[in-house]
């Protein structure tokens, strides 16, 4: 039996007839429902189409209108940066708890499937940071996703 990666509560996979008949391994979530509900999932309809900011409509937000559209990239934000996400990032990124990469892997996979991007590129981190942290936090979320690596050059 596995446990919630955030609070340690024992977890079980939800079993339905469809799940049983699929003959696939049971998928146990990475967190309990109580911990997951602390994260604020961004409504994919009412958001800025350029930067993904949560808002009351689907218009391009004021910030995106002010800044010139010089980039061909579109950002899609999946979660609001609330207290729960701040706690998560502290534990994952700054305290180096690499197990926590599983918390958002399904959310990333679902978003990537929905967006059907040409290319998925995790933003590289500086080699010094990589050496001290031991992992790229974004690549950890994309563990099961086919990604393209950006070529980086170390700067001194
Ligand atoms: Zn929990
Ligand atoms: Zn925007």
């Amino acid at each position: 039996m596995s446990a919630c990666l955030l609070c340690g509560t024992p977890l079980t996979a939800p079993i339905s007839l469809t799940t049983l008949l699929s003959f696939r391994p049971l998928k146990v979530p990475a967190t309990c429902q109580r911990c997951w509900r602390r994260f604020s999932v961004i409504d994919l309809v009412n958001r800025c189409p350029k930067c993904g900011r949560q808002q009351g409509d689907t218009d391009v937000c004021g910030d995106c209108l002010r800044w010139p559209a010089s980039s061909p990239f579109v950002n899609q934000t999946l979660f609001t940066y609330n207290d729960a996400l701040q706690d998560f990032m502290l534990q994952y990124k700054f305290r180096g708890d690499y197990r926590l990469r599983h918390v958002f892997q399904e959310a990333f996979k679902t978003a990537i499937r929905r967006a059907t991007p040409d290319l998925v590129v995790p933003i590289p981190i500086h080699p010094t940071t990589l050496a001290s942290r031991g992992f790229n936090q974004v690549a950890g979320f994309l563990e099961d996703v086919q990604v393209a690596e950006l070529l980086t050059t170390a700067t001194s």
Side-chain angles (χ1 to χ4, degrees), residues 108 112 116-122 138 142 145-150:
F108 272 66
I112 289 166
T116 62
D118 297 327
L119 206 57
V120 177
V121 183
V138 178
L142 300 171
V145 175
Q146 185 167 2
V147 298
E149 298 287 338
L150 279 185

Side-chain angles (χ1 to χ4, degrees), residues 4-9 31-36:
C4 171
L5 290 173
L6 300 174
C7 75
T9 299
T31 67
C32 70
Q33 284 295 311
R34 191 171 52 93
C35 286
W36 184 254

Side-chain angles (χ1 to χ4, degrees), residues 79 104 112 125:
F79 296 89
F104 292 114
I112 289 166
I125 60 176

